[in-house]
Amino acid sequence: MQENRGTTNFSEMKAELSALKQELITLYQAKEAFFKKKEELKQQLRQSINEARKIQQGLAAASQEKQSYRQRRDEFNKQCRALIITIKAERGEKEKLLKKHGRVLNQESIKKKIDQLMTKIETEAMQFEDEKKVMERIKQLKKQLADTETLTTSLQHMMQLSKEIDKVRGEANAAHQKVITISTTDRYSKLREVIKQVHQKKKEQEAAFNAFIEAKKAYQQKTAELITKFKQ
């Protein structure tokens, strides 16, 4: 009878140890799973932080680039305004000459008239007063010729200025478009999203770490309990 009781106790202890062993395995697996999750979240957190830093660096670079294009645009606009003032002044001088002579001056026609009058003086016998009038007319025509040359130069210069204005205005518009493009690139939304991920990953990592600590404690307690049972 006493032998049967001893056998029963041994069987019960064996079953209890087996259950403790199985529970220990389960706790070990849970501990390792939480540890693995903690490490994975740690890696993900590091990646999110690196991504956030890259976006911040990109924002800083974009801000500098934007400022550079803004300065470039403003400088071209300044040049454009200066050129417009110059061409307006040239146009004013042109209008004065046209108003003075009443029509568009023909350079070749004036030269031809001067040559005709010079030939007349050289080949014809003229009274002093008549010759004086012809010389005065030649003087007037030469003044008109000088005005036509000034007008021609002015027109050529205005054409050159007009081309320069178009070129500078195009550069200013291109720089302004760059400013708009940089401004409309939504890096801030991406940064906010990544920062949100960082905070979330920190919370998840902290929860996984706490779960790992609890699982580790439970595993250690069960290990100690199993060792105690073996000693009995």
Side-chain angles (χ1 to χ4, degrees):
M1 189 73 177
Q2 198 172 15
E3 184 179 346
N4 290 337
R5 191 181 299 113
T7 302
T8 301
N9 290 339
F10 177 76
S11 297
E12 289 176 353
M13 185 178 291
K14 185 178 179 182
E16 188 178 355
L17 288 172
S18 179
L20 282 172
K21 184 180 178 181
Q22 186 58 47
E23 192 175 351
L24 191 63
I25 291 171
T26 302
L27 287 171
Y28 177 81
Q29 291 174 342
K31 176 178 72 70
E32 290 302 305
F34 283 126
F35 179 80
K36 182 180 179 182
K37 184 177 181 181
K38 175 182 74 70
E39 290 301 308
E40 288 175 352
L41 288 167
K42 183 179 178 180
Q43 181 64 26
Q44 292 173 13
L45 178 60
R46 186 181 294 112
Q47 290 174 351
S48 294
I49 290 173
N50 289 337
E51 186 179 359
R53 284 174 180 167
K54 287 180 181 179
I55 294 172
Q56 287 175 329
Q57 290 171 355
L59 283 169
S63 179
Q64 291 179 349
E65 186 181 17
K66 181 180 177 180
Q67 182 61 25
S68 175
Y69 278 115
R70 185 183 286 120
Q71 290 174 349
R72 182 179 173 86
R73 177 200 63 191
D74 293 344
E75 181 59 33
F76 280 126
N77 282 332
K78 183 179 178 181
Q79 291 179 24
C80 190
R81 286 192 294 271
L83 289 168
I84 289 172
I85 290 172
T86 302
I87 201 171
K88 282 183 177 179
E90 294 259 0
R91 190 177 288 118
E93 290 299 316
K94 182 198 74 171
E95 294 300 328
K96 285 181 183 179
L97 287 175
L98 292 176
K99 187 176 181 180
K100 176 181 176 181
H101 297 289
R103 59 186 177 84
V104 178
L105 302 175
N106 188 312
Q107 203 171 25
E108 293 302 317
S109 176
I110 294 171
K111 285 181 180 180
K112 187 175 180 180
K113 288 180 180 179
I114 292 173
D115 290 340
Q116 288 174 348
L117 292 174
M118 290 295 294
T119 300
K120 185 175 182 179
I121 290 174
E122 292 170 359
T123 58
E124 295 181 11
M126 301 176 63
Q127 296 291 329
F128 176 74
E129 288 298 327
D130 292 337
E131 186 175 340
K132 185 178 177 181
K133 289 179 181 179
V134 172
M135 290 300 295
E136 184 63 29
R137 179 58 180 158
I138 291 173
K139 183 179 178 181
Q140 292 174 354
L141 289 170
K142 285 184 175 181
K143 181 65 172 67
Q144 286 184 9
L145 183 61
D147 286 343
T148 62
E149 291 172 350
T150 300
L151 183 60
T152 300
T153 301
S154 179
L155 289 171
Q156 290 174 347
H157 191 215
M158 279 193 293
M159 288 177 64
Q160 182 181 349
L161 286 172
S162 182
K163 290 179 181 179
E164 187 67 19
I165 287 171
D166 290 341
K167 179 182 177 182
V168 172
R169 186 173 283 153
E171 294 284 358
N173 289 337
H176 181 65
Q177 190 58 46
K178 283 286 188 180
V179 171
I180 292 174
T181 301
I182 295 170
S183 299
T184 53
T185 302
D186 196 2
R187 292 182 176 89
Y188 288 101
S189 291
K190 181 62 176 176
L191 180 60
R192 285 192 294 270
E193 180 183 340
V194 173
I195 290 175
K196 185 178 178 181
Q197 289 176 4
V198 168
H199 292 316
Q200 182 63 32
K201 293 300 178 186
K202 281 183 177 179
K203 289 180 181 179
E204 291 177 8
Q205 185 192 20
E206 185 178 353
F209 178 74
N210 291 335
F212 165 72
I213 294 298
E214 291 300 319
K216 184 178 179 182
K217 287 179 181 178
Y219 175 76
Q220 289 172 341
Q221 289 173 355
K222 283 297 175 183
T223 301
E225 186 179 342
L226 184 61
I227 291 171
T228 301
K229 289 290 183 181
F230 268 116
K231 288 180 178 179
Q232 290 178 354

